[in-house]
Amino acid sequence: MLRDITIGQHFPGNSLLHRMDPRVKLVLTVAYIVMLFVGSNPAGLAISIVFLTALYLTAKIPLKMVARSVKPILPIILFTAVLNLFFMTGTSEPLLAWWIFKIYREGVYYAIVMAVRIICLIAGTSLLTYTTSPIVLTDAIEQLLKPLARLHLPVHELAMMMTIALRFIPTLIEETDKIMNAQKARGAQLDSGKLSQRVRALIPVLIPLFISAFRRADELAMAMECRCYHGGEGRTRLKQLRLHASDIVLAAAAALVFAAIGMSNLFFERIG
Amino acid sequence: MKEMLKADQITFRYAETGRPAVDGLSLTVRRGEYVAVLGANGCGKSTLAKHFNAILLPETGTVTVEGMSTADEDRLFDIRQKVGMVFQNPDNQIVATVVEEDVAFALENLGVPPDEMRRRVDEAMRMAGVYNYREKAPHKLSGGQKQRVAIAGVVAMRPDCLVLDEATAMLDPIGREKVMRTVHRLNREYGITVVQITHYMEEAAAADRVVVMSEGKIALEGTPTEVFRQVDRLRALRLDVPQAAELCHALTQAGCPMPDGVIDVEGCAAALYRLLTGRDAPDAENAKEVAACPQP
């Protein structure tokens, strides 16, 4: 049952986007988020949507994946939309007036733009995790944050923690499964009863899991020491991230699109 | 032959117990040798293993690796690079999420340049027979495969000595067999010294030398034949003997004229063949055939 959980949302493939340098992807994603806020108007959003659709098609990721990633935050989208709908006051006559609620044209306009903006935000950031495996992403984060190590930020340590966490998630899931089965064999009722009972039933699962995790950590630390681990200092990497010509072309194309999104502000009023 | 590891009168006790886990033990391992260390649970064999690459430092006495004292902190990484350790649980010694990156872990720590690292990682993966899984995630491999990945990760450092701390204890028979074959090949073909802590008698029987520990001391030492001949002594130390040796011992005690010092299945089969048919087993091939006969 627990084995079915997928870690991250990686969608393996071999498209142009999959092969792109993860550092460039990460920077472009951040830039994209910024541009969504800068060019927050119908034209800007239209360009974003076209751009994203083109990228999804290049990455050969089915568009229904967007629906799947948007689904969990649907309540937030609806909430903001509703707020905008009712609290935006306009200068013209209200479209609808009922009791204390008045809906203006501006309200509808704002609600739609905001909702589309959030969906674009989610779809854009999901594209990064769809096309980049968590390990590669960790590498990219480590490399990009490297300059901050000079400010004594533990960049390497954070990246190492991420890697170990990713490495041990499947192992610990397997172990949880085993412990749950062991407790069930002893008569534990893990999936029946009231919520409070079920939560209490989890304690005998969590305690052995924690103890075992600590034991594993101890052994892993020893194994790492045996292999001469001594922090990030003087460390080299097997996989070197290299910029390819295609990365630069894609980055330049993205920059042009971002410029277009920015320009759209000249023609439309910025919202939000 | 030059000495690889040398423990001289070492004593070590864990803070919690107070009783010495290793008690005035001396042991020398020569270069290229294959030494198996046996002993009942809690006899100090794992503690001894951890002294060989400065995970633990002896309370009294010294441990030297090719003449370098493990107490010398400046040589710590030299020592750990020379003496590679493989532990019992394969899951808890794999750091990276991809096999080849895990094999590269030690080299990354040592600051080996990427080009050379690529070569050494490929070489180590071929030596340990895991090259075919190089891009897989460790949790998708079987126990034996994972343990060979761990061995590759250590071999990539080009160690002179491999210390296996019950490295086969958690594996199924097939995985164990494959790991053992890998280790023996590393010993024979690449001259890597092996110190194997184990409680499988069959594994110890294949070593050059067997050291039996009891209560932090060496109780018995010698070639496998010399050690496993002493069936009663081993029993007193709460240890088994290889099944073949046990059978021969029982037959001898029952009055059958079995030759002395038979410890493996092939030898036992040949001896039985001689005993039952009155002539020599024609060749090794045949002996194997006899050994493969279904047992009642």
Side-chain angles (χ1 to χ4, degrees):
Chain A
M1 154 195 111
L2 279 167
R3 259 163 246 244
D4 300 336
I5 302 173
T6 49
I7 308 306
Q9 296 178 300
H10 184 45
F11 212 83
N14 197 26
S15 71
L16 201 59
L17 275 183
H18 282 91
R19 279 177 282 131
M20 200 173 165
D21 188 311
R23 291 170 297 181
V24 179
K25 266 192 274 189
L26 197 61
V27 171
L28 287 181
T29 308
V30 173
Y32 172 76
I33 295 169
V34 172
M35 287 321 287
L36 268 184
F37 283 88
V38 171
S40 179
N41 60 57
L45 288 177
I47 301 172
S48 309
I49 292 171
V50 172
F51 180 54
L52 262 189
T53 316
L55 288 182
Y56 267 87
L57 291 178
T58 333
K60 295 198 181 75
I61 289 171
L63 283 169
K64 66 168 192 253
M65 292 297 288
V66 182
R68 200 181 289 176
S69 53
V70 168
K71 214 170 158 193
I73 53 137
L74 210 57
I76 300 177
I77 297 175
L78 286 176
F79 183 68
T80 44
V82 167
L83 278 188
N84 276 304
L85 204 56
F86 290 115
F87 290 98
M88 212 58 213
T89 49
T91 44
S92 58
E93 275 294 296
L95 291 175
L96 238 158
W98 178 71
W99 192 35
I100 54 163
F101 299 114
K102 289 193 180 68
I103 293 176
Y104 294 89
R105 261 187 50 206
E106 284 84 348
V108 178
Y109 182 64
Y110 265 57
I112 292 172
V113 169
M114 287 295 221
V116 170
R117 194 170 77 183
I118 297 176
I119 292 171
C120 281
L121 190 77
I122 300 301
T125 43
S126 306
L127 188 62
L128 176 70
T129 50
Y130 286 151
T131 58
T132 323
S133 78
I135 318 149
V136 176
L137 205 55
T138 311
D139 268 2
I141 295 171
E142 182 179 7
Q143 298 245 333
L144 284 173
L145 293 182
K146 219 176 223 168
L148 293 179
R150 269 197 217 127
L151 304 172
H152 299 293
L153 215 76
V155 176
H156 165 75
E157 284 75 6
L158 285 174
M160 185 49 97
M161 274 160 54
M162 275 284 286
T163 311
I164 292 176
L166 288 170
R167 152 76 184 84
F168 275 90
I169 285 171
T171 310
L172 291 180
I173 286 178
E174 205 173 296
E175 179 141 40
T176 314
D177 228 14
K178 267 189 210 156
I179 297 173
M180 282 170 88
N181 282 337
Q183 300 292 23
K184 275 184 198 159
R186 289 166 176 76
Q189 306 217 318
L190 295 174
D191 25 39
S192 59
K194 274 184 287 184
L195 185 66
S196 63
Q197 284 172 328
R198 265 190 281 174
V199 169
R200 214 170 310 142
L202 272 183
I203 295 175
V205 173
L206 290 180
I207 290 175
L209 187 66
F210 265 76
I211 291 175
S212 134
F214 276 105
R215 197 173 299 146
R216 281 179 193 281
D218 200 31
E219 278 182 32
L220 181 70
M222 189 156 63
M224 284 168 76
E225 277 201 320
C226 283
R227 292 208 264 158
C228 305
Y229 181 69
H230 53 100
E233 213 174 303
R235 216 160 176 267
T236 48
R237 297 305 308 267
L238 174 68
K239 290 231 170 90
Q240 298 290 310
L241 294 175
R242 277 201 196 89
L243 274 183
H244 294 286
S246 61
D247 293 326
I248 297 163
V249 173
L250 272 172
L256 284 178
V257 174
F258 293 161
I261 297 175
M263 296 269 282
S264 66
N265 270 336
L266 297 175
F267 308 103
F268 286 88
E269 198 197 339
R270 203 180 150 264
I271 291 170
Chain B
M1 248 193 278
K2 228 182 108 187
E3 61 196 33
M4 175 75 226
L5 303 170
K6 187 170 187 204
D8 189 17
Q9 295 285 319
I10 61 167
T11 303
F12 182 88
R13 72 185 84 214
Y14 289 102
E16 306 96 73
T17 53
R19 193 176 57 84
V22 175
D23 192 1
L25 181 144
S26 296
L27 178 68
T28 307
V29 178
R30 293 185 303 274
R31 189 180 273 279
E33 202 178 11
Y34 194 125
V35 177
V37 180
L38 286 171
N41 286 338
C43 71
K45 53 190 196 298
S46 276
T47 311
L48 174 68
K50 285 176 191 143
H51 277 84
F52 288 138
N53 72 345
I55 295 280
L56 297 176
L57 293 176
E59 214 171 270
T60 59
T62 53
V63 178
T64 50
V65 174
E66 293 189 335
M68 298 179 283
S69 165
T70 55
D72 185 354
E73 271 190 39
D74 296 335
R75 311 300 294 272
L76 186 65
F77 293 126
D78 292 331
I79 289 170
R80 296 219 168 126
Q81 189 245 309
K82 286 224 183 299
V83 182
M85 278 271 241
V86 180
F87 296 98
Q88 185 175 20
N89 190 337
D91 268 325
N92 297 352
Q93 44 190 326
I94 293 176
V95 186
T97 35
V98 180
V99 165
E100 61 178 6
E101 286 196 29
D102 187 74
V103 175
F105 181 72
L107 301 181
E108 292 181 333
N109 292 332
L110 292 167
V112 174
D115 296 339
E116 196 196 328
M117 196 187 300
R118 184 76 253 175
R119 271 200 310 279
R120 281 171 69 171
V121 165
D122 286 347
E123 180 194 73
M125 286 192 296
R126 288 212 178 84
M127 281 164 78
V130 293
Y131 191 75
N132 290 342
Y133 331 120
R134 64 189 176 282
E135 279 173 359
K136 283 209 175 174
H139 69 269
K140 299 238 167 92
L141 302 179
S142 75
Q145 290 169 338
K146 276 190 264 197
Q147 201 60 295
R148 279 183 289 150
V149 170
I151 291 175
V154 168
V155 165
M157 295 194 288
R158 293 194 176 144
D160 294 334
C161 178
L162 208 55
V163 178
L164 306 164
D165 188 358
E166 300 203 26
T168 56
M170 290 179 76
L171 307 181
D172 57 80
I174 295 165
R176 199 160 74 216
E177 168 80 31
K178 285 202 167 150
V179 167
M180 286 320 298
R181 223 179 282 157
T182 305
V183 173
H184 275 283
R185 193 155 44 86
L186 291 174
N187 175 254
R188 255 191 338 267
E189 288 173 24
Y190 300 92
I192 297 175
T193 313
V194 176
V195 176
Q196 187 184 15
I197 314 287
T198 182
H199 53 240
Y200 289 109
M201 300 304 140
E202 275 71 18
E203 287 176 7
D208 295 335
R209 184 151 63 109
V210 177
V211 173
V212 181
M213 280 182 71
S214 172
E215 293 177 351
K217 293 190 177 73
I218 293 178
L220 276 174
E221 195 182 345
T223 62
T225 319
E226 283 163 14
V227 169
F228 290 125
R229 177 184 290 164
Q230 309 179 46
V231 176
D232 297 322
R233 185 80 200 281
L234 285 168
R235 289 242 173 82
L237 294 166
R238 284 181 292 139
L239 286 175
D240 283 334
V241 284
Q243 281 181 342
E246 195 173 353
L247 176 63
C248 291
H249 182 73
L251 286 172
T252 313
Q253 281 198 330
C256 291
M258 286 295 278
D260 205 18
V262 174
I263 56 164
D264 59 353
V265 177
E266 270 90 26
C268 184
L272 283 175
Y273 191 89
R274 208 172 305 128
L275 186 72
L276 295 172
T277 61
R279 54 203 158 91
D280 276 355
D283 45 37
E285 204 55 28
N286 205 332
K288 253 187 207 134
E289 225 168 78
V290 179
C293 280
Q295 286 166 11

